Amino acid sequence: MFKKHFSEEEKKYYNIIKNHRKNVKQAFELLQINFGELFANLTKKQFNHLKKQIDTHDLSKLKKEEFKAYCINFFCKEKTEIIQNNFDMACLHHHRTNPHHHQYWLLKRNDGELVALDIPQVNLLEMICDWWAFSIQEGDLCLINSWYETYKDKMILSKKTRETVEEILNKIKTKFKKIISF
Ligand SMILES: [Zn+2]
């Protein structure tokens, strides 16, 4: 962390990140327990890399390039242009440095064409854990499905990535349809 003294809001935001990271770890465990087949094709090295990614998930949110701008954006009552600009810059930093975000895999070709590359399985699984963490926090493991339905048309994903994402989300829906909390 980059500074010693936090404001009350910074403390709260720090705890939000901490809690999210805990839920991402729990999502990772739930994925392994319930859908071991998703990890079957990973080499030992890839699996260890994934574990490391989960352990360090979103730590860049604590960096000076992200923390303050995210925190201010989260708590502000009125979004000024400066707040918005700083938040956009922080988001850009977050998306550009964290391959668990689908935006990381978007290529803007020189001719202007936007291409979604296939997200490698390791990063895709971390992305699912990131999305699923919110369902865990809310105590409804299928929230991820309605969340995806709301945002899927706004996400630019390759055909292969979309198929894999929807396959995993269907597994979650089938398995946890009736379970409200655990
Ligand atoms: Zn993230």
Side-chain angles (χ1 to χ4, degrees), residues 102-116:
H102 56 90
Q103 294 92 334
Y104 180 98
W105 301 96
L106 280 182
L107 170 70
K108 183 94 184 260
R109 290 204 176 118
N110 286 343
D111 64 6
E113 191 190 352
L114 203 52
V115 191

Side-chain angles (χ1 to χ4, degrees), residues 57-58 61 94 98 100-101 130:
H57 181 87
D58 270 0
K61 287 235 176 111
H94 190 74
N98 287 281
H100 67 263
H101 283 278
D130 190 17

